[in-house]
Amino acid sequence: LISESFKNWRGMSEAQGRRIKRSIYIDINTINRCTPEMIERFSKIRSLRDYIERKRLDLAQWNEKHSTEISYPINTRNLTNVGTFRAYIEAYLKSHPQINQDMTLLVRQLDPLEKGLPIQIYCFSKEKEWGIYENLQSDIFDHILATAPDFNLRIFQNPTGADFRAFGD
C-alpha cells in the first residue's frame, strides 16, 4: 500500500449517489439582458414558467422601488439569458428521474476564464454503476449543449480550421 497509490471508492459505494461535477463554458460575447421577446419565448418553456413569473414580479417591484430612470436598462435589474439558462438547467435536473433529489444539486457560475464563463453542474446520480452513470452524465450534457442556442448562448470552443476558412469567404 505504501509503494503504489490507490483510489478509495468506499465513500461512493456507501453514499446514496455518484457525484456529477462538470462545467460547460459559455462564450461571454453571447451573454445579454433578456429582451421582452426572449422573456415571452422563455415563458413558454414548461419548466421555466413559474421562474419567469416569479422573476417578472420580483424585478418589477424592485425596479419600481429603486429605479428613477427605468427607460435606461443599466438603471434596472433585468433577467439575463445566462441566468435564465442556469434556472432551466436546475429545473431540468430537479425533474430528472435519475438524479438523486435528496443530495446536493447546484448549477452555478464559476470565475470567468479565457475559455468563457464556466457553468458548473454539481449533483448526484441515483445510479453508481460506472457505465450507467457515464451514459446518464453524457445524456445530461448532450441536452444542455443542445439547448444553449435556445437561450441565444454559444458554448465556447477554440477556433477550428473551419472557423478560419469561414473568414476567407
Side-chain angles (χ1 to χ4, degrees):
L1 290 177
I2 294 174
S3 64
E4 295 182 28
S5 67
F6 66 94
K7 183 77 173 167
N8 183 351
W9 294 100
R10 184 175 178 185
M12 189 224 10
S13 298
E14 293 175 354
Q16 295 177 351
R18 188 167 185 167
R19 183 178 70 179
I20 296 172
K21 181 182 175 187
R22 187 184 290 180
S23 296
I24 58 167
Y25 294 86
I26 302 295
D27 180 343
I28 290 175
N29 296 311
T30 63
I31 297 172
N32 290 295
R33 290 181 199 94
C34 290
T35 63
E37 295 79 21
M38 290 167 72
I39 293 169
E40 186 60 34
R41 193 174 78 230
F42 297 156
S43 69
K44 292 180 177 152
I45 300 170
R46 186 178 343 111
S47 60
L48 281 179
R49 283 183 191 140
D50 291 342
Y51 170 81
I52 295 291
E53 193 54 39
R54 230 179 15 258
K55 291 302 274 187
R56 275 182 175 162
L57 291 171
D58 179 47
L59 294 176
Q61 289 172 353
W62 192 94
N63 289 335
E64 187 176 311
K65 184 176 180 181
H66 295 95
S67 295
T68 56
E69 182 58 51
I70 62 172
S71 63
Y72 193 56
I74 201 164
N75 291 331
T76 62
R77 285 182 55 210
N78 300 277
L79 282 171
T80 63
N81 59 344
V82 73
T84 307
F85 185 51
R86 280 187 303 107
Y88 171 77
I89 295 169
E90 185 174 326
Y92 172 74
L93 293 171
K94 284 183 176 178
S95 68
H96 200 293
Q98 292 178 290
I99 297 297
N100 188 329
Q101 303 301 319
D102 296 327
M103 298 181 80
T104 303
L105 190 156
L106 295 170
V107 179
R108 64 184 187 152
Q109 289 184 15
L110 300 177
D111 290 339
L113 302 169
E114 70 281 354
K115 296 186 290 188
L117 178 68
I119 303 294
Q120 184 185 69
I121 287 76
Y122 186 99
C123 60
F124 290 83
S125 73
K126 290 180 179 177
E127 184 59 54
K128 294 184 262 184
E129 195 272 310
W130 189 21
I132 296 170
Y133 161 82
E134 287 295 338
N135 285 333
L136 168 63
Q137 206 172 199
S138 295
D139 288 346
I140 289 169
F141 281 88
D142 288 351
H143 180 78
I144 291 169
L145 294 168
T147 56
D150 294 327
F151 291 86
N152 299 0
L153 294 167
R154 264 193 324 264
I155 305 299
F156 175 85
Q157 74 174 24
N158 285 322
T160 66
D163 295 318
F164 292 116
R165 281 193 294 278
F167 286 125
D169 293 340

Short mmCIF file of all heavy atoms in Angstrom, two decimals, residues 91-131:
data_model
loop_
_atom_site.label_atom_id
_atom_site.label_comp_id
_atom_site.label_asym_id
_atom_site.label_seq_id
_atom_site.Cartn_x
_atom_site.Cartn_y
_atom_site.Cartn_z
N ALA A 91 -33.92 23.37 -13.17
CA ALA A 91 -35.26 22.78 -13.25
C ALA A 91 -35.21 21.44 -13.98
O ALA A 91 -35.89 20.48 -13.58
CB ALA A 91 -36.22 23.74 -13.96
N TYR A 92 -34.41 21.35 -15.02
CA TYR A 92 -34.25 20.10 -15.77
C TYR A 92 -33.70 19.00 -14.85
O TYR A 92 -34.22 17.88 -14.84
CB TYR A 92 -33.31 20.35 -16.96
CG TYR A 92 -32.91 19.10 -17.70
CD1 TYR A 92 -33.81 18.44 -18.54
CD2 TYR A 92 -31.64 18.58 -17.57
CE1 TYR A 92 -33.45 17.30 -19.23
CE2 TYR A 92 -31.25 17.43 -18.25
CZ TYR A 92 -32.16 16.79 -19.08
OH TYR A 92 -31.80 15.66 -19.75
N LEU A 93 -32.67 19.33 -14.08
CA LEU A 93 -32.07 18.33 -13.18
C LEU A 93 -33.03 17.96 -12.05
O LEU A 93 -33.09 16.80 -11.64
CB LEU A 93 -30.75 18.85 -12.61
CG LEU A 93 -29.62 19.02 -13.63
CD1 LEU A 93 -28.44 19.74 -13.00
CD2 LEU A 93 -29.21 17.68 -14.22
N LYS A 94 -33.79 18.94 -11.53
CA LYS A 94 -34.73 18.65 -10.44
C LYS A 94 -35.88 17.76 -10.90
O LYS A 94 -36.52 17.11 -10.07
CB LYS A 94 -35.27 19.95 -9.84
CG LYS A 94 -34.27 20.63 -8.95
CD LYS A 94 -34.83 21.88 -8.31
CE LYS A 94 -33.81 22.47 -7.34
NZ LYS A 94 -34.29 23.71 -6.72
N SER A 95 -36.13 17.71 -12.18
CA SER A 95 -37.21 16.85 -12.68
C SER A 95 -36.67 15.55 -13.29
O SER A 95 -37.45 14.73 -13.75
CB SER A 95 -38.04 17.61 -13.72
OG SER A 95 -37.29 17.83 -14.89
N HIS A 96 -35.35 15.38 -13.30
CA HIS A 96 -34.75 14.20 -13.93
C HIS A 96 -34.90 12.99 -13.00
O HIS A 96 -34.47 13.04 -11.85
CB HIS A 96 -33.28 14.46 -14.23
CG HIS A 96 -32.71 13.55 -15.25
ND1 HIS A 96 -32.54 12.21 -15.02
CD2 HIS A 96 -32.30 13.79 -16.51
CE1 HIS A 96 -32.03 11.65 -16.10
NE2 HIS A 96 -31.88 12.59 -17.02
N PRO A 97 -35.47 11.90 -13.50
CA PRO A 97 -35.71 10.74 -12.64
C PRO A 97 -34.45 10.02 -12.14
O PRO A 97 -34.52 9.29 -11.16
CB PRO A 97 -36.56 9.81 -13.52
CG PRO A 97 -36.25 10.22 -14.92
CD PRO A 97 -35.94 11.69 -14.86
N GLN A 98 -33.31 10.25 -12.79
CA GLN A 98 -32.09 9.56 -12.39
C GLN A 98 -31.17 10.41 -11.53
O GLN A 98 -30.06 9.99 -11.19
CB GLN A 98 -31.35 9.03 -13.61
CG GLN A 98 -32.10 7.91 -14.30
CD GLN A 98 -31.38 7.44 -15.54
OE1 GLN A 98 -31.31 8.15 -16.53
NE2 GLN A 98 -30.82 6.25 -15.45
N ILE A 99 -31.62 11.61 -11.16
CA ILE A 99 -30.83 12.47 -10.28
C ILE A 99 -31.38 12.33 -8.87
O ILE A 99 -32.58 12.41 -8.64
CB ILE A 99 -30.89 13.95 -10.74
CG1 ILE A 99 -30.27 14.10 -12.13
CG2 ILE A 99 -30.22 14.88 -9.74
CD1 ILE A 99 -28.79 13.75 -12.20
N ASN A 100 -30.49 12.14 -7.92
CA ASN A 100 -30.88 11.99 -6.52
C ASN A 100 -31.26 13.36 -5.96
O ASN A 100 -30.39 14.22 -5.77
CB ASN A 100 -29.75 11.37 -5.71
CG ASN A 100 -30.16 11.01 -4.31
OD1 ASN A 100 -31.02 11.66 -3.72
ND2 ASN A 100 -29.56 9.97 -3.76
N GLN A 101 -32.53 13.54 -5.69
CA GLN A 101 -33.04 14.83 -5.23
C GLN A 101 -32.79 15.06 -3.74
O GLN A 101 -33.02 16.17 -3.24
CB GLN A 101 -34.54 14.95 -5.53
CG GLN A 101 -34.88 14.78 -7.00
CD GLN A 101 -34.21 15.79 -7.92
OE1 GLN A 101 -34.11 16.98 -7.59
NE2 GLN A 101 -33.74 15.33 -9.07
N ASP A 102 -32.33 14.04 -3.04
CA ASP A 102 -32.05 14.17 -1.61
C ASP A 102 -30.62 14.61 -1.34
O ASP A 102 -30.24 14.79 -0.19
CB ASP A 102 -32.33 12.84 -0.89
CG ASP A 102 -33.79 12.46 -0.98
OD1 ASP A 102 -34.65 13.36 -0.97
OD2 ASP A 102 -34.08 11.24 -1.05
N MET A 103 -29.83 14.76 -2.39
CA MET A 103 -28.44 15.18 -2.23
C MET A 103 -28.26 16.55 -2.89
O MET A 103 -29.16 17.05 -3.57
CB MET A 103 -27.52 14.12 -2.83
CG MET A 103 -27.66 12.76 -2.12
SD MET A 103 -26.57 11.50 -2.78
CE MET A 103 -25.03 11.96 -1.96
N THR A 104 -27.10 17.14 -2.69
CA THR A 104 -26.83 18.48 -3.21
C THR A 104 -27.04 18.56 -4.71
O THR A 104 -26.61 17.68 -5.45
CB THR A 104 -25.38 18.89 -2.88
OG1 THR A 104 -25.19 18.81 -1.47
CG2 THR A 104 -25.07 20.29 -3.36
N LEU A 105 -27.69 19.63 -5.14
CA LEU A 105 -27.90 19.91 -6.55
C LEU A 105 -27.64 21.40 -6.75
O LEU A 105 -28.36 22.23 -6.19
CB LEU A 105 -29.32 19.55 -6.96
CG LEU A 105 -29.64 19.55 -8.46
CD1 LEU A 105 -30.82 18.64 -8.75
CD2 LEU A 105 -29.82 20.91 -9.03
N LEU A 106 -26.60 21.73 -7.50
CA LEU A 106 -26.24 23.12 -7.77
C LEU A 106 -25.98 23.33 -9.25
O LEU A 106 -25.42 22.45 -9.91
CB LEU A 106 -24.95 23.50 -7.04
CG LEU A 106 -24.92 23.52 -5.54
CD1 LEU A 106 -23.49 23.69 -5.05
CD2 LEU A 106 -25.78 24.65 -5.02
N VAL A 107 -26.37 24.48 -9.75
CA VAL A 107 -25.97 24.95 -11.08
C VAL A 107 -25.44 26.34 -10.82
O VAL A 107 -26.20 27.24 -10.45
CB VAL A 107 -27.15 24.96 -12.07
CG1 VAL A 107 -26.69 25.47 -13.43
CG2 VAL A 107 -27.76 23.57 -12.19
N ARG A 108 -24.14 26.52 -10.97
CA ARG A 108 -23.55 27.79 -10.55
C ARG A 108 -22.53 28.30 -11.54
O ARG A 108 -21.97 27.53 -12.32
CB ARG A 108 -22.92 27.65 -9.18
CG ARG A 108 -21.75 26.68 -9.15
CD ARG A 108 -21.22 26.49 -7.76
NE ARG A 108 -20.01 25.68 -7.79
CZ ARG A 108 -19.05 25.76 -6.91
NH1 ARG A 108 -19.13 26.63 -5.92
NH2 ARG A 108 -17.99 25.00 -6.99
N GLN A 109 -22.30 29.61 -11.47
CA GLN A 109 -21.23 30.22 -12.25
C GLN A 109 -19.93 30.14 -11.46
O GLN A 109 -19.93 30.37 -10.25
CB GLN A 109 -21.51 31.70 -12.49
CG GLN A 109 -22.61 32.00 -13.43
CD GLN A 109 -22.74 33.49 -13.66
OE1 GLN A 109 -21.85 34.28 -13.33
NE2 GLN A 109 -23.86 33.90 -14.25
N LEU A 110 -18.86 29.87 -12.16
CA LEU A 110 -17.53 29.97 -11.57
C LEU A 110 -16.88 31.23 -12.14
O LEU A 110 -17.46 31.91 -12.99
CB LEU A 110 -16.72 28.71 -11.88
CG LEU A 110 -17.33 27.40 -11.37
CD1 LEU A 110 -16.48 26.21 -11.80
CD2 LEU A 110 -17.50 27.42 -9.86
N ASP A 111 -15.67 31.53 -11.69
CA ASP A 111 -14.98 32.71 -12.19
C ASP A 111 -14.75 32.61 -13.70
O ASP A 111 -14.34 31.55 -14.20
CB ASP A 111 -13.62 32.87 -11.50
CG ASP A 111 -13.74 33.26 -10.05
OD1 ASP A 111 -14.80 33.80 -9.66
OD2 ASP A 111 -12.78 33.03 -9.29
N PRO A 112 -15.00 33.71 -14.43
CA PRO A 112 -14.75 33.69 -15.88
C PRO A 112 -13.29 33.37 -16.19
O PRO A 112 -12.38 33.77 -15.45
CB PRO A 112 -15.09 35.11 -16.32
CG PRO A 112 -15.98 35.64 -15.25
CD PRO A 112 -15.53 34.99 -13.98
N LEU A 113 -13.08 32.68 -17.26
CA LEU A 113 -11.75 32.28 -17.72
C LEU A 113 -11.57 32.68 -19.17
O LEU A 113 -12.51 33.11 -19.83
CB LEU A 113 -11.57 30.75 -17.59
CG LEU A 113 -11.76 30.15 -16.21
CD1 LEU A 113 -11.83 28.62 -16.31
CD2 LEU A 113 -10.61 30.57 -15.31
N GLU A 114 -10.38 32.48 -19.69
CA GLU A 114 -10.13 32.76 -21.10
C GLU A 114 -10.97 31.85 -22.00
O GLU A 114 -11.19 32.15 -23.17
CB GLU A 114 -8.63 32.63 -21.44
CG GLU A 114 -8.08 31.21 -21.40
CD GLU A 114 -7.78 30.69 -20.00
OE1 GLU A 114 -7.88 31.46 -19.02
OE2 GLU A 114 -7.45 29.50 -19.89
N LYS A 115 -11.48 30.76 -21.46
CA LYS A 115 -12.33 29.84 -22.22
C LYS A 115 -13.81 30.23 -22.13
O LYS A 115 -14.64 29.57 -22.72
CB LYS A 115 -12.18 28.41 -21.69
CG LYS A 115 -10.79 27.84 -21.87
CD LYS A 115 -10.72 26.39 -21.49
CE LYS A 115 -10.85 26.21 -20.00
NZ LYS A 115 -10.60 24.84 -19.55
N GLY A 116 -14.14 31.25 -21.37
CA GLY A 116 -15.52 31.67 -21.24
C GLY A 116 -15.98 31.63 -19.80
O GLY A 116 -15.18 31.56 -18.86
N LEU A 117 -17.30 31.67 -19.62
CA LEU A 117 -17.90 31.63 -18.30
C LEU A 117 -18.27 30.19 -17.96
O LEU A 117 -19.16 29.61 -18.60
CB LEU A 117 -19.17 32.50 -18.25
CG LEU A 117 -19.91 32.50 -16.92
CD1 LEU A 117 -19.08 33.20 -15.84
CD2 LEU A 117 -21.26 33.15 -17.06
N PRO A 118 -17.60 29.59 -16.97
CA PRO A 118 -17.96 28.21 -16.61
C PRO A 118 -19.28 28.16 -15.85
O PRO A 118 -19.50 28.89 -14.90
CB PRO A 118 -16.82 27.76 -15.68
CG PRO A 118 -15.79 28.84 -15.71
CD PRO A 118 -16.46 30.08 -16.21
N ILE A 119 -20.16 27.29 -16.33
CA ILE A 119 -21.40 26.96 -15.63
C ILE A 119 -21.19 25.54 -15.13
O ILE A 119 -21.07 24.61 -15.93
CB ILE A 119 -22.63 27.04 -16.55
CG1 ILE A 119 -22.76 28.42 -17.18
CG2 ILE A 119 -23.89 26.63 -15.80
CD1 ILE A 119 -23.04 29.55 -16.20
N GLN A 120 -21.11 25.41 -13.82
CA GLN A 120 -20.83 24.10 -13.22
C GLN A 120 -22.12 23.42 -12.79
O GLN A 120 -22.97 24.03 -12.14
CB GLN A 120 -19.91 24.23 -12.02
CG GLN A 120 -19.51 22.87 -11.44
CD GLN A 120 -18.71 23.02 -10.18
OE1 GLN A 120 -19.22 23.43 -9.14
NE2 GLN A 120 -17.42 22.70 -10.28
N ILE A 121 -22.23 22.16 -13.18
CA ILE A 121 -23.35 21.32 -12.75
C ILE A 121 -22.79 20.41 -11.66
O ILE A 121 -21.78 19.72 -11.87
CB ILE A 121 -23.91 20.49 -13.93
CG1 ILE A 121 -24.70 21.38 -14.90
CG2 ILE A 121 -24.82 19.39 -13.42
CD1 ILE A 121 -23.91 22.22 -15.78
N TYR A 122 -23.41 20.45 -10.50
CA TYR A 122 -22.97 19.65 -9.36
C TYR A 122 -24.21 18.96 -8.80
O TYR A 122 -25.11 19.63 -8.29
CB TYR A 122 -22.33 20.54 -8.30
CG TYR A 122 -21.70 19.80 -7.15
CD1 TYR A 122 -20.33 19.58 -7.11
CD2 TYR A 122 -22.48 19.32 -6.10
CE1 TYR A 122 -19.75 18.89 -6.05
CE2 TYR A 122 -21.91 18.64 -5.04
CZ TYR A 122 -20.54 18.43 -5.02
OH TYR A 122 -19.97 17.74 -3.97
N CYS A 123 -24.26 17.65 -8.96
CA CYS A 123 -25.40 16.89 -8.47
C CYS A 123 -24.97 15.43 -8.31
O CYS A 123 -23.80 15.11 -8.51
CB CYS A 123 -26.60 17.02 -9.40
SG CYS A 123 -26.31 16.43 -11.09
N PHE A 124 -25.90 14.59 -7.96
CA PHE A 124 -25.60 13.18 -7.74
C PHE A 124 -26.59 12.31 -8.50
O PHE A 124 -27.79 12.56 -8.45
CB PHE A 124 -25.66 12.84 -6.24
CG PHE A 124 -24.54 13.46 -5.47
CD1 PHE A 124 -24.63 14.78 -5.03
CD2 PHE A 124 -23.38 12.75 -5.19
CE1 PHE A 124 -23.59 15.36 -4.33
CE2 PHE A 124 -22.33 13.32 -4.49
CZ PHE A 124 -22.44 14.64 -4.05
N SER A 125 -26.05 11.33 -9.18
CA SER A 125 -26.93 10.37 -9.86
C SER A 125 -27.39 9.34 -8.84
O SER A 125 -26.71 9.08 -7.85
CB SER A 125 -26.18 9.68 -11.01
OG SER A 125 -25.25 8.75 -10.51
N LYS A 126 -28.54 8.76 -9.09
CA LYS A 126 -29.01 7.67 -8.23
C LYS A 126 -28.20 6.41 -8.50
O LYS A 126 -27.99 5.59 -7.61
CB LYS A 126 -30.49 7.40 -8.49
CG LYS A 126 -31.42 8.47 -8.00
CD LYS A 126 -32.87 8.10 -8.31
CE LYS A 126 -33.82 9.16 -7.79
NZ LYS A 126 -35.21 8.84 -8.15
N GLU A 127 -27.77 6.29 -9.73
CA GLU A 127 -27.04 5.08 -10.17
C GLU A 127 -25.55 5.25 -9.92
O GLU A 127 -24.97 6.27 -10.23
CB GLU A 127 -27.30 4.85 -11.65
CG GLU A 127 -26.69 3.61 -12.20
CD GLU A 127 -27.16 2.34 -11.51
OE1 GLU A 127 -28.38 2.13 -11.42
OE2 GLU A 127 -26.30 1.57 -11.04
N LYS A 128 -24.93 4.21 -9.36
CA LYS A 128 -23.49 4.26 -9.08
C LYS A 128 -22.67 3.41 -10.05
O LYS A 128 -21.48 3.60 -10.16
CB LYS A 128 -23.23 3.81 -7.65
CG LYS A 128 -23.81 4.78 -6.62
CD LYS A 128 -23.45 4.38 -5.22
CE LYS A 128 -24.61 3.61 -4.63
NZ LYS A 128 -24.39 3.26 -3.23
N GLU A 129 -23.33 2.49 -10.76
CA GLU A 129 -22.60 1.62 -11.69
C GLU A 129 -22.01 2.47 -12.80
O GLU A 129 -22.69 3.30 -13.41
CB GLU A 129 -23.57 0.56 -12.25
CG GLU A 129 -22.90 -0.61 -12.93
CD GLU A 129 -22.63 -0.35 -14.39
OE1 GLU A 129 -23.55 0.05 -15.09
OE2 GLU A 129 -21.46 -0.52 -14.80
N TRP A 130 -20.72 2.28 -13.07
CA TRP A 130 -19.94 3.17 -13.91
C TRP A 130 -20.55 3.40 -15.29
O TRP A 130 -20.72 4.53 -15.73
CB TRP A 130 -18.51 2.64 -14.04
CG TRP A 130 -17.56 3.58 -14.71
CD1 TRP A 130 -17.69 4.93 -14.85
CD2 TRP A 130 -16.33 3.24 -15.32
NE1 TRP A 130 -16.62 5.46 -15.51
CE2 TRP A 130 -15.77 4.44 -15.81
CE3 TRP A 130 -15.65 2.06 -15.51
CZ2 TRP A 130 -14.55 4.46 -16.48
CZ3 TRP A 130 -14.43 2.10 -16.17
CH2 TRP A 130 -13.90 3.28 -16.64
N GLY A 131 -20.89 2.36 -16.02
CA GLY A 131 -21.42 2.52 -17.38
C GLY A 131 -22.72 3.30 -17.41
O GLY A 131 -22.91 4.20 -18.24
#
